[in-house]
Amino acid sequence: MKISLRAGERVYINGAVLRVDRKVSLELVNDVMFLLEGQVMQAADATTAMRQLYFIVQLMLMNPTDVGAAASLYGQHHAALLAVCENREMLDGLAAIDEMVGGTRYFEALKRIRALFPLEEAILAGTTTKSPFKAA
């Protein structure tokens, strides 16, 4: 896989943070877990349940040698989401995400979580046709 970076841009590869000082192209010749700087969510931006799930999975991807604490947190957060959600699209997405995380396919899981952000926003705004959360 070949990626191009602009001067000053960062890439996170297998737990290491690399910053380039000039425009560069990198060819990754083996399997690595990486995130481009634009895909990294800051803790302050994890303001909703799905964004928090994204942040947790991101931690798992960025530090693959020590996923224990993040995996435990992921399990708790994912279970809490399943307990309150009844929107079928969201439930299907959470099931797919759990399968990806279980298979250490963290980058794919992050993409799937990002795809659910608009649905979560609609749910929080109350613009869905049916309540997405179970009655308390």
Side-chain angles (χ1 to χ4, degrees):
M1 169 173 280
K2 193 172 198 174
I3 56 175
S4 296
L5 301 170
R6 296 181 303 268
E9 194 170 16
R10 295 181 185 136
V11 62
Y12 301 79
I13 301 175
N14 284 356
V17 181
L18 305 169
R19 187 180 61 195
V20 298
D21 62 353
R22 63 184 63 97
K23 185 177 177 179
V24 66
S25 291
L26 299 173
E27 185 175 359
L28 305 174
V29 294
N30 63 344
D31 287 336
V32 296
M33 289 194 232
F34 74 94
L35 276 178
L36 299 174
E37 186 172 14
Q39 298 165 324
V40 175
M41 180 179 292
Q42 300 301 314
D45 296 326
T47 56
T48 66
M50 290 305 293
R51 290 178 182 276
Q52 290 165 0
L53 190 67
Y54 184 96
F55 187 78
I56 294 165
V57 174
Q58 171 185 286
L59 291 175
M60 297 166 77
L61 187 145
M62 291 174 75
N63 193 4
T65 59
D66 185 23
V67 296
S72 176
L73 187 57
Y74 166 82
Q76 294 169 12
H77 195 72
H78 188 269
L81 282 168
L82 289 176
V84 298
C85 187
E86 62 182 29
N87 178 285
R88 177 53 41 203
E89 185 178 350
M90 187 67 78
L91 288 170
D92 290 346
L94 288 169
I97 291 160
D98 198 45
E99 185 177 312
M100 292 171 198
V101 168
T104 66
R105 297 185 345 252
Y106 304 129
F107 187 78
E108 291 175 56
L110 291 175
K111 284 175 43 178
R112 186 68 173 102
I113 295 168
R114 276 194 309 269
L116 290 173
F117 286 171
L119 176 59
E120 181 187 39
E121 290 172 16
I123 289 168
L124 294 173
T127 58
T128 59
T129 56
K130 181 182 172 200
S131 173
F133 300 106
K134 295 177 183 172

